[in-house]
Amino acid sequence: MISSNVLGKVMITEPGETFSIVFHAGAGFEYQLENRHYSLGFAADAMLMPQFDAIRAIDGRAYLRYTY
């Protein structure tokens, strides 16, 4: 649900339009280091809202994970 009127001001949403289907997918890779507590990895996600002029977003991250 979109609850901002900013998207309406720039004509991405129609007046009164607040709901859309969202497609969200992600994937990642993680490599366990010799020390069993640490691992390195990277991941990415993508999002698509087709009813709001096909709003799209992609994000990515690299990380060092510590597990006990």
Side-chain angles (χ1 to χ4, degrees):
M1 177 178 173
I2 302 278
S3 64
S4 172
N5 65 350
V6 174
L7 296 176
K9 297 284 185 191
V10 294
M11 302 175 78
I12 290 181
T13 61
E14 299 292 327
E17 186 178 34
T18 56
F19 291 95
S20 173
I21 294 172
V22 176
F23 298 103
H24 187 209
F29 174 78
E30 187 169 296
Y31 175 72
Q32 186 77 36
L33 300 175
E34 283 187 39
N35 182 335
R36 64 186 177 106
H37 295 290
Y38 293 99
S39 62
L40 297 171
F42 65 89
D45 294 312
M47 179 191 70
L48 172 67
M49 295 173 135
Q51 289 170 307
F52 296 140
D53 281 350
I55 294 175
R56 292 176 288 279
I58 296 175
D59 73 88
R61 60 201 167 277
Y63 59 88
L64 171 67
R65 180 188 303 226
Y66 175 81
T67 53
Y68 178 70

